[in-house]
Amino acid sequence: MAARIGLLGGTFDPIHLGHLRLALEAREFLGLDHVRLLPCHQPPHRATPDVSSAERTELLRLALDDCPELHLDARELERDGPSYTLETLQSLRRELGEEARLVWILGCDSFAGLEQWHRWRELLDWANLLVVSRPGWDLPSQGTLANWLSEHAVAPEALLDRPAGAIAVQTLRLLPISATEIRSMIQSGSSPQFLLPDPVWHAIRERGLYRGR
Ligand code: ATP
């Protein structure tokens, strides 16, 4: 049987339980072999984070230590310049072969901004998309993106029938946690403990990350 691989890209600034539950819920829902978390080196659509990609990746490594279903894939750190998802998918496809079922997983907040992504329509040449509802966010109901979605939409059970080219939308149980909120909690001196894995929180404290300049 062809490999079935989930892919969750993000800034992970820092990684939190919302990301980890999303990856696990998606893996179980689609019956994926594993989900790879791909930290972004240089986000093309937002300011470069204060915490370096190497440090964000190190926190991710700590978070995944005890979870064999989720893998760290740090390939974006090996490319200079903006970390375009299209290039990441091309490199994964070269590595995993033409038959592998690739599923790029994204929250509907990320999906809503997809038209800003580099050559976004071509993403479907390389992978399928799973768009997951996230508290407080709705899918676009009209416009280019909504039309593109309805053109390529399939039922979630059919998403892995082909290596690439389809989009499924699914509600999964998600935790209302955001990295923005965690960063501002740390900056203002409140504790984000239990919103992110303990080893990650310990490392953030020890290294004095996210305290502001
Ligand atoms: P920020 O608050 O800095 O924008 P974030 O918490 O949204 O960060 P990202 O690294 O930007 O995290 O997100 C990576 C992916 O994880 C995106 O597809 C996003 O939609 C999804 N995601 C983030 N937080 C959650 C959550 N709590 N539940 C489900 N999906 C999430």
Side-chain angles (χ1 to χ4, degrees), residues 16 19 107-110 132-138 174-179:
H16 57 66
H19 299 129
C108 54
D109 57 320
S110 298
V132 182
S133 302
R134 191 174 170 188
W137 290 86
D138 289 323
L174 298 178
L175 305 172
I177 302 174
S178 85

Side-chain angles (χ1 to χ4, degrees), residues 126-182:
W126 304 92
N128 297 299
L129 296 188
L130 178 70
V131 182
V132 182
S133 302
R134 191 174 170 188
W137 290 86
D138 289 323
L139 281 173
S141 57
Q142 51 187 20
T144 312
L145 198 54
N147 294 340
W148 188 70
L149 171 60
S150 63
E151 237 170 80
H152 298 282
V154 298
E157 312 75 70
L159 189 62
L160 297 177
D161 288 356
R162 66 212 94 195
I167 311 175
V169 179
Q170 178 63 29
T171 301
L172 297 172
R173 182 186 46 195
L174 298 178
L175 305 172
I177 302 174
S178 85
T180 304
E181 195 188 352
I182 291 178

Side-chain angles (χ1 to χ4, degrees), residues 9-12 38-44 49 53 56-57 76-77 83:
T11 322
F12 304 124
L38 298 113
C40 181
H41 176 48
Q42 205 174 300
S53 57
R56 289 182 279 112
T57 301
E76 292 191 351
L77 273 65
S83 307

Side-chain angles (χ1 to χ4, degrees), residues 34-45:
H34 64 261
V35 174
R36 297 184 183 202
L37 283 82
L38 298 113
C40 181
H41 176 48
Q42 205 174 300
H45 322 106

Side-chain angles (χ1 to χ4, degrees), residues 60-68 70 199:
L60 196 44
R61 198 184 302 284
L62 292 173
L64 299 181
D65 197 28
D66 197 23
C67 184
L70 305 183

